[in-house]
Each structure stands twice: as structure tokens, then as C-alpha cells.
Amino acid sequence: MKNWCRIDIPGWQEHQAQLQQCVLAKVRNSKQVYNYISLEDFRSECSALAHLLETQLGELERLVIFKMDHESMQKLKDRAIHVDSGPKPARLNWPVLNPASVITRTFEVTSQDYQPTRHLINPPYKDYIDIYDPAHCKQVDLVCFDQPTVFNIFKPHGMFVNGDVWPRVMASFNFQDPAVLVKYLEE
């Protein structure tokens, strides 16, 4: 299975201004890295994009907005390589603002018996990440989410500073049927 795959969403750039307006209004004052937007708000404020996504990829399940600034990237260093929680192996990542400030690298574990440590990241939602020690990992791939991209969250990966324009904001969409996004990652 691939680590990531650009996805063809017709006219995705045409939806950018509306998505930016919706997302940035909701996370502008947030100091959190993980921000949840209700699907009702998203469907109401970005109805054309919501319709396009649900027509092409199926029913939305959750929308998470990742808001990274230079300070949050510095705090992340000791937990950079991780695997996300959740039962679904893939998400659609969509750039909102300054995507080139962060590069996402994918790793493979080099030690047969190595076990990551678990870290709670969002107590209200019971999300967690499994953190990997870089001494037990080797980089195998990298991507900048500068256009809609399906991403395999079950492979160890990490976000690393790549630029100096902040904040970097990305929308991450989960869908009800995991098979829809997985098909883009199949080799």
C-alpha cells in the first residue's frame, strides 16, 4: 500500500477561498494543534465543497483542522514520528494555508521487536498517537500537502519544518467508508 496519493478533485482550487474563510474563522484564535469543526458547520458554510466530496468519496465522518505554528512544531520534536489513532487507515488531507511550511515524512521501523509508546493528544475525543523513537526508524518517503492528498495514517510518519511562513493550516477529512480512500493507496 502506498504512503500517499494525490487525488483528482475537479476544480479543487475553486473551493479554496470558501474553505479558507470557514476554517480560518474557526481556528484563528485557537492555540490548539487539533481543532474539530462540526460537519453541520462545514456543510453549511462550504456546501459546494461538501457536496463535491460526498459525491466523489462518500459520507463524511469527521473534519479535523491541524493548525501548526513554529512553536507547536518545536514542541512536537520529541513526538514527531507517530502513527495516528482510529480505525480508518487513510484520510484526505487538504491544504488551507501555508502548506509548504511543513513536510511530512514517512518511515519504516528498522527494529523487529520495537514497540512505540502511546500518547493521548485530544482528551475530549480520546485520540492518541503511537510515538516512535527515531533510532528505530528509517525515512522512506516524503510529501508536502500542497493539494488534496490521500494519506496512509497507519504508517509511521512525522511533520517537519520546511519553511518559515506560519501558521500552516490543513484540513483532514475522514469518511464513513474506509475502502473509498484506501483504493487510492493500493498499488
Side-chain angles (χ1 to χ4, degrees), residues 155-172:
K155 298 240 180 134
H157 61 278
M159 296 169 287
F160 296 86
V161 173
N162 186 55
D164 59 2
V165 182
W166 303 100
R168 181 263 203 169
V169 181
M170 183 183 66
S172 188

Side-chain angles (χ1 to χ4, degrees), residues 70-123:
H70 198 266
E71 182 180 322
S72 62
M73 288 299 294
Q74 295 306 314
K75 288 179 185 175
L76 183 67
K77 278 191 177 182
D78 64 333
R79 295 174 286 187
I81 302 173
H82 64 280
V83 167
D84 297 351
S85 65
K88 311 233 167 89
R91 293 187 183 136
L92 173 63
N93 289 341
W94 189 298
V96 175
L97 189 66
N98 304 320
S101 292
V102 172
I103 202 92
T104 299
R105 297 177 182 169
T106 305
F107 298 83
E108 66 181 31
V109 178
T110 57
S111 304
Q112 293 280 340
D113 299 326
Y114 177 73
Q115 293 297 314
T117 58
R118 185 150 290 171
H119 176 73
L120 192 65
I121 56 171
N122 236 350

